[in-house]
Each structure stands twice: as C-alpha cells, then as structure tokens.
C-alpha cells in the first residue's frame, strides 16, 4: 500500500494550475452516451474515477481515446446496456449512468454502487424521479433494472432534498423525454451548471441550471460536441488552505472564483489575504490564522461538505474555537482521530465537532479513511513539525491529480513511498 511521507513546517509558496472538476467529468462522460456522434471533452483530470468511467463506457461499446487531459468518446457502437458490479462497486457515482442509458436506450441494468465511505448514501430520489418520468424500476438484491417500455415522458418533479446526483441523473434522463420536465428544489452546484452546458451544446434544451428550478424541454436526439470541463473547486480550496496553514502564499489558476466563494469568504475570515480574478484565486496567510466561530455545511451556494475536512485541519492551527456542523453526510469526520494523534484538540459527536485551535501539531503516523478526510490529514501534516506517514493514499488520489508533485512544487517536503 502506498503512503505519503511528509516533513512538515515548510512555508508553501507558488502557483498551481487546478485540474478539471472530478464531480463534473463523471456525469459529463456518462452524458456522452446520450449523443449520437463523437464528443471531445477537454480538461479531464487523470484520476482513478475517470479511468473507471472510461472502463464503463468501453464496456457499453463506446470507442474511447484519452490523451493529455482530452477524452474522445464515440458512442455510435454502443451495444450493451448493463454495468456489472465489478465496475459500479468501485465507484458510487456510476449511478449517473442510469439516467442517460434509460433515456437513450429505454433500458439499463446497474449493479449497486460503491465508492467513498460517507455513511449510507441512498439513491431513492434518483429512482423516484425516474419513476415519475415513466420508468419501471425493479430493485433486485444485487442490481437495479430500469426500463421505459413507452419511452420517458416529461413530468413535474419536486426533490425532497437538493441532491447533486439525483438532479444530474434526472436532468440527463429528461433531455430525450417527450415534452417538458420541471425539476424543483434541485441542486445548484457549479457541476450541475457544467453538465447542463455540455448537454445544451449537444443540442439539449435546459434552462435554469444553477437555480432551484430547472426546465428541460425534451428533444428527439443529441449530437456530439467539444467541451471543456470547469476547474475543481475543492482541489483549489485544498491548495489555498495549504497556503493559509503554512504561513505561505499560493495562487491557483484555471478556476472560477465564484464557484468557491463560500470557502474563500471563510478563508478571508481567518485573516488571510484572499484575492481573485476571472480565472484564478490566491491566498496570503496570516499566522496564526484566526478561528471562525462556526462552519455549517449546506447545499450550494452554502459551505460544501467536501470542504469541511480541509477547514477542520485549518481550525486546528487557528487561534480560538470553531464549531463545525455537518448537515449532508454521516462519517464526514474520518480525519479526527488522525488529527488528534497529531496533537489537535477536537471533540466530535454525531454531526458536530468542536475544535480548540492553536495546537502546535506534530508529525504522526495516520491513515486516510476517505478522499477529503485524507486531504485534511495531508494539510495537517504539512503544517506540523516533524515527519508524518499517511497511509491510504489511494483514497486521496481518487480526487487529486498530481497531488504530491503539485505540493512539492510549492515547496512541500512530500514523497510517495
Ligand atoms: C455529490 C458529489 C460529492 C459531494 C456531494 C455533495 C459526485 C460524484 N459526488 O455526491 O462529492 O460530496 O455531491 O456536494 O458528484 N440523498 C438521499 N437520497 C438520494 C440521494 C441523496 O437521501 O437519492 C441524500 C444523501 O444521503 C446525502 C444528501 O442527500 O445526505 C446529498 O447527497 P447528494 O447531493 O446526492 O450527493 P452525491 O450526488 O452523492
């Protein structure tokens, strides 16, 4: 098993070009099966989840090329409508193939998804919405079987929670449905806007993505297009927090600052100097940072659940007390035991954690249990004195392209062993 060895205490300084958004590229690759000709997708991050999505596309019968951040998907040879457990088991988000397969072929069979260990991650909203569009859904023990004998038909669907995955799946299912679909109380995340922009470039008619209500006028068919995925807001926040925690100065490029405004605002509150322009943002640290009183995770544009572990680490080295409230997923606090081992003062129960900051962290041997928690441990190790070993690197590298190399280019002493 690979691990990171980090010798902390170095001030990070420099520039990082931010990878394409992991949470955009997966639904966009899934959406490519809706098109009747080739799609060219730029700014795709080299991540294990991207490789898995490609394996799924190949298994369905797509011809794929992947070179230097660009993926060519030719869906004209699709001959299969089934995704086996061997693939979905490794990536929960493979459920986003359900909507597109059903819309394009009237049939989909998908084994139950796996993925990050963030507690129970149900898919009832996806399935209820698909049923409202006319799909017949059969939930067997191992797999889901969906079919739409008469094709899908537009409907008014109110989500009981603005789920990102359900909004994406239903948007993709509705683009080829008969008539108009109105999705209400949907997720507003930038990755939803990105997916809608891709679909519209393929000929879909989607209005309102990024707002609570999305209207989709069904069309007969979609064609391929060329598209560039947005920058990854969580990756950008990770490098910015690394700068803030190490008394450094970090510039991230290839990212639209408005997509991470809630995190930039919080960084500013910790006393760091935060600046941004059209496609970049930067941080210049204040040492020690000042604790913000409270961080509550919310659907976008609120503070993102994926950002919580990053700010948890930041608050461990800030002056003052910070209360975190996680409202989206269970098990978001996987990094707490590791942070405590490094000397952080954190009490956590259920969805609340109280961090009494200004601990002087020291290096320790810790283990990443999930993607963002793992990134939080790396941040803490960068700010700690002495050497840390971080196991479970596979989790971290599900979401960060060239993580080690990028941090080293900022001056971190990090190596993968
Ligand atoms: C997506 C992101 C993930 C991010 C999350 C929140 C991808 C691949 N993943 O996950 O990185 O952390 O958004 O921004 O894009 N829920 C239900 N029933 C459902 C669906 C969801 O109850 O059918 C609940 C979940 O349990 C959770 C909440 O809704 O409490 C949010 O889930 P959702 O927005 O769907 O997140 P994901 O799409 O899984």
């Amino acid at each position: 098993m690979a691990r990171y060895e980090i010798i902390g205490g170095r001030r990070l300084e420099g520039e990082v070009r931010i990878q394409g958004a992991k949470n955009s590229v997966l639904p966009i690759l899934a959406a490519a099966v809706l098109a009747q000709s080739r799609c060219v997708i730029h700014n795709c991050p080299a991540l294990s989840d991207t490789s898995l999505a490609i394996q799924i596309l190949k298994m369905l019968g797509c011809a794929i090329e992947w070179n230097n951040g660009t993926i060519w998907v030719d869906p004209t040879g699709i001959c299969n409508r089934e995704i086996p457990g061997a693939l979905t088991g490794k990536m929960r988000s493979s459920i986003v193939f359900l909507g597109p397969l059903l819309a394009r072929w009237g049939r989909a069979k998908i084994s139950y998804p796996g993925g990050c260990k963030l507690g129970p991650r149900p898919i009832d909203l996806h399935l209820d919405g698909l049923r409202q569009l006319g799909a017949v859904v059969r939930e067997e023990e191992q797999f889901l079987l969906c079919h739409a004998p008469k094709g899908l038909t537009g409907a008014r669907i109110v989500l009981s929670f603005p789920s990102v995955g359900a909004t994406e799946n239903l948007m993709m299912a509705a683009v080829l449905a008969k008539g108009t679909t109105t999705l209400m109380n949907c997720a507003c995340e930038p990755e939803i806007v990105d997916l809608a922009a891709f679909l519209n470039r393929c000929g879909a008619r989607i209005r309102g993505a990024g707002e609570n209500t999305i209207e989709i006028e069904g069309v007969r068919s979609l064609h391929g297009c060329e598209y560039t995925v947005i920058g990854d807001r969580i990756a950008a926040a990770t490098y910015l927090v690394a700068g803030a925690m190490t008394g450094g100065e970090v510039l991230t490029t290839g990212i639209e600052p408005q997509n991470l405004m809630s995190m930039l605002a919080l960084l500013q509150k910790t006393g760091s100097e935060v600046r941004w322009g059209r496609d970049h943002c930067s941080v210049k640290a204040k040492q020690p940072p000042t604790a913000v009183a409270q961080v509550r995770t919310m659907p976008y544009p609120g503070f993102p659940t994926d950002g919580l572990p990053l700010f948890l680490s930041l608050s461990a080295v800030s002056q003052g007390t910070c209360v975190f409230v996680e409202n989206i997923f269970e098990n978001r606090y996987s990094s707490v035991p590791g942070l405590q081992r490094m000397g952080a003062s954190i009490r956590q129960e259920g969805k609340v954690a109280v961090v009494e900051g200004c601990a002087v962290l020291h290096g320790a041997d810790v283990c990443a249990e999930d993607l963002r928690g793992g990134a939080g441990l790396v941040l803490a190790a960068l700010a700690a004195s002495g050497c840390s070993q971080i196991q479970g690197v596979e989790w971290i590298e599900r979401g960060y392209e060239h993580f080690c190399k990028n941090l080293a280019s900022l001056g971190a002493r990090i190596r993968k062993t």
Side-chain angles (χ1 to χ4, degrees), residues 23 92 121-126 161 163-165 306 328-329:
N23 290 351
R92 195 200 113 88
R121 294 177 78 176
I123 52 168
D124 53 315
L125 299 173
H126 302 235
F161 183 88
S163 150
V164 175
D306 285 351
I328 313 290
F329 289 117

Side-chain angles (χ1 to χ4, degrees), residues 206-265:
I206 303 173
R207 275 193 312 267
E211 295 161 28
N212 295 95
T213 302
I214 300 180
E215 210 166 77
I216 304 140
E217 205 185 307
V219 294
R220 274 179 181 278
S221 65
L222 295 185
H223 49 76
C225 76
E226 188 162 351
Y227 192 76
T228 301
V229 172
I230 57 169
D232 193 303
R233 60 199 166 103
I234 307 296
T238 306
Y239 293 109
L240 293 171
V241 172
M245 284 180 71
T246 58
E249 197 170 346
V250 170
L251 168 69
T252 55
T253 59
I255 182 77
E256 290 169 45
Q258 71 271 16
N259 292 347
L260 58 151
M261 222 19 107
S262 61
M263 292 185 281
L264 295 181

Side-chain angles (χ1 to χ4, degrees), residues 156-217:
R156 249 172 105 82
I157 301 172
V158 186
L159 295 176
S160 57
F161 183 88
S163 150
V164 175
T167 304
E168 290 168 346
N169 236 333
L170 297 176
M171 205 161 72
M172 291 188 280
V175 286
L176 294 180
K178 282 183 222 99
T180 301
T181 298
T182 309
L183 293 179
M184 295 162 89
N185 194 32
C186 38
C188 304
E189 267 71 357
E191 293 77 18
I192 305 270
V193 179
D194 208 25
L195 173 63
F198 169 78
L199 288 166
N200 282 344
R201 198 168 291 176
C202 293
R205 295 205 185 125
I206 303 173
R207 275 193 312 267
E211 295 161 28
N212 295 95
T213 302
I214 300 180
E215 210 166 77
I216 304 140
E217 205 185 307

Side-chain angles (χ1 to χ4, degrees), residues 5-193:
E5 189 180 281
I6 297 174
I7 299 173
R10 301 266 299 214
R11 179 175 188 271
L12 299 195
E13 198 177 331
E15 181 180 328
V16 182
R17 165 118 203 132
I18 297 301
Q19 66 193 56
K22 160 179 153 315
N23 290 351
S24 273
V25 79
L26 300 177
I28 287 175
L29 285 173
V33 311
L34 287 161
Q36 295 195 351
S37 52
R38 196 178 71 158
C39 294
V40 183
I41 305 159
H42 302 292
N43 205 25
C44 298
L47 300 172
S48 52
D49 280 10
T50 314
S51 310
L52 276 167
I54 285 180
Q55 280 181 47
I56 292 177
L57 288 169
K58 281 188 177 162
M59 214 226 31
L60 294 172
C62 295
I64 305 280
E65 264 180 73
W66 184 10
N67 191 3
N68 213 4
T70 296
I71 299 177
W72 289 260
V73 184
D74 185 346
T76 47
I78 289 187
C79 51
N80 194 352
R81 330 275 184 254
E82 287 188 29
I83 309 181
L87 291 173
T88 56
K90 292 187 190 146
M91 186 174 73
R92 195 200 113 88
S93 44
S94 46
I95 193 72
V96 296
F97 280 88
L98 191 57
L101 280 177
L102 195 58
R104 178 87 164 86
W105 306 102
R107 186 175 189 281
K109 183 175 163 188
I110 296 194
S111 295
Y112 287 119
C116 242
K117 301 182 234 166
L118 293 174
R121 294 177 78 176
I123 52 168
D124 53 315
L125 299 173
H126 302 235
L127 302 186
D128 285 353
L130 291 174
R131 285 191 178 103
Q132 289 178 62
L133 293 172
V136 178
V137 180
R138 240 177 59 208
E139 296 178 67
E140 301 285 335
E141 207 167 297
Q142 304 283 334
F143 57 83
L144 272 172
L145 193 61
C146 295
H147 61 115
K150 295 186 203 128
L152 297 172
T153 309
R156 249 172 105 82
I157 301 172
V158 186
L159 295 176
S160 57
F161 183 88
S163 150
V164 175
T167 304
E168 290 168 346
N169 236 333
L170 297 176
M171 205 161 72
M172 291 188 280
V175 286
L176 294 180
K178 282 183 222 99
T180 301
T181 298
T182 309
L183 293 179
M184 295 162 89
N185 194 32
C186 38
C188 304
E189 267 71 357
E191 293 77 18
I192 305 270
V193 179

Side-chain angles (χ1 to χ4, degrees), residues 246-304:
T246 58
E249 197 170 346
V250 170
L251 168 69
T252 55
T253 59
I255 182 77
E256 290 169 45
Q258 71 271 16
N259 292 347
L260 58 151
M261 222 19 107
S262 61
M263 292 185 281
L264 295 181
L266 216 59
L267 262 180
Q268 229 164 12
K269 276 198 186 167
T270 66
S272 284
E273 194 181 304
V274 180
R275 292 174 184 270
W276 59 84
R278 194 180 52 82
D279 61 354
H280 60 269
C281 19
S282 66
V283 69
K284 188 172 173 190
K286 176 193 166 209
Q287 275 300 64
T290 314
V292 290
Q294 208 179 65
V295 178
R296 285 173 175 273
T297 64
M298 308 265 201
Y300 190 85
F303 185 87

